[in-house]
Amino acid sequence: MAENTDPVRVMKQEVGKAAAAKVKSNSIVGLGTGSTTAYAIEYLGERLRTGEIENIVGIPTSFQAEVLAKKYGIPLTSLDAVDSIDIAIDGADEVDPSKNLIKGGGAAHTREKVVDTLANLFVVVVDSGKLVDKLGSTFLLPVEVIPMAVTPVMRRLEKLGGKPELRMGVKKAGPVVTDQGNLVIDVKFEQIDNPAELEKTINNIPGVLENGLFVGVADVVLVGEIKEGKPVVFEI
Ligand code: 5RP
């Protein structure tokens, strides 16, 4: 694994390692998206390479996860070829005290929700800055929408009390396009009091594919923190 001295990156690396350490031989593993999960994928590849574990297959949640899995030598399969997923490892943008999540910072929440909800054990990897009392406090809620429905969906989101904005690309002119060819609307809600209800209400708007609320899905949350200049990982 590449040497790293930046404390935040080292902390992400440690959380990723702790998650990858939970994977046993002969497992089907959901491979999440994001900078923290990337370390889990890297370390999983290392465990395979050194023979510490064997016979792992991954199911990627994004193009990014697929590319990383190939880079680190993790064989891939698809949901058509498996009956269940043993463990999924994925990041999050916010985590509340009931382990409900907001995801979609990488615009991959639709595939992530498919894979993460199918896993017998869903392990979330975050830094302590992602822990919030109420979802929506720090992060906008991502909503994936088919392109022709963007305007009516935005109007409906406003009627629900949200402030929607179309996610724009960085180093790419125009909007972010998801791995499915759709667009993402990020919505600011003053507070999300009932995430389970809001998740269903938004998904019921015609043209919405999926939103980033993950309610009752996470089993374990691994949290990284820097204490006295050193990374520590704890589990909730
Ligand atoms: C992608 C996600 C990511 O898991 C989430 O944005 C966290 O990413 P990072 O570990 O880079 O902070 O939901 O859609």
Side-chain angles (χ1 to χ4, degrees):
M1 196 167 276
E3 271 301 311
N4 213 328
T5 49
D6 170 43
V8 175
R9 290 183 68 180
V10 173
M11 183 253 298
K12 285 188 179 197
Q13 206 172 39
E14 291 304 313
V15 181
K17 268 189 184 184
K22 290 190 177 288
V23 175
K24 300 188 175 98
S25 291
N26 309 309
S27 297
I28 298 160
V29 187
L31 303 173
T33 301
S35 56
T36 321
T37 314
Y39 289 117
I41 296 174
E42 183 177 352
Y43 189 59
L44 201 53
E46 190 172 305
R47 293 187 71 209
L48 263 182
R49 191 175 50 77
T50 58
E52 195 182 317
I53 51 171
E54 56 185 15
N55 192 27
I56 299 298
V57 282
I59 300 196
T61 57
S62 61
F63 186 62
Q64 182 211 30
E66 189 178 327
V67 168
L68 287 171
K70 285 177 182 162
K71 179 175 174 187
Y72 295 115
I74 301 169
L76 293 173
T77 188
S78 74
L79 290 175
D80 297 325
V82 300
D83 292 328
S84 64
I85 295 174
D86 297 300
I87 177 170
I89 300 170
D90 208 344
D93 302 297
E94 282 190 347
V95 181
D96 80 5
S98 305
K99 297 183 199 164
N100 297 322
L101 318 173
I102 286 185
K103 287 183 51 53
H109 57 278
T110 300
R111 290 194 198 189
E112 290 174 327
K113 201 180 281 191
V114 172
V115 171
D116 298 344
T117 56
L118 284 172
N120 295 326
L121 181 70
F122 174 28
V123 179
V124 180
V125 285
V126 290
D127 60 75
S128 58
K130 308 266 184 85
L131 302 180
V132 295
D133 287 333
K134 259 195 179 173
L135 294 180
S137 323
T138 60
F139 204 80
L140 307 183
L141 177 63
V143 179
E144 181 168 358
V145 184
I146 63 169
M148 58 82 78
V150 164
T151 302
V153 170
M154 278 195 166
R155 287 192 195 118
R156 288 283 295 271
L157 290 166
E158 275 169 3
K159 280 194 182 141
L160 289 173
K163 286 198 184 100
E165 56 187 59
L166 188 61
R167 190 181 296 183
M168 302 308 281
V170 177
K171 291 197 177 178
K172 184 257 180 198
V176 166
V177 178
T178 69
D179 288 357
Q180 290 73 241
N182 295 313
L183 305 178
V184 175
I185 299 172
D186 290 307
V187 196
K188 174 68 192 160
F189 285 101
E190 269 328 309
Q191 49 180 31
I192 299 177
D193 291 322
N194 189 335
E197 194 181 289
L198 188 64
E199 182 185 13
K200 289 194 197 112
T201 304
I202 292 178
N203 279 358
N204 214 20
I205 301 172
V208 169
L209 184 58
E210 189 55 80
N211 71 77
L213 285 166
F214 284 49
V215 179
V217 187
D219 296 303
V220 171
V221 182
L222 294 175
V223 186
E225 210 170 38
I226 299 183
K227 283 210 167 132
E228 290 158 13
K230 291 204 172 115
V232 291
V233 178
F234 62 93
E235 188 170 318
I236 55 176

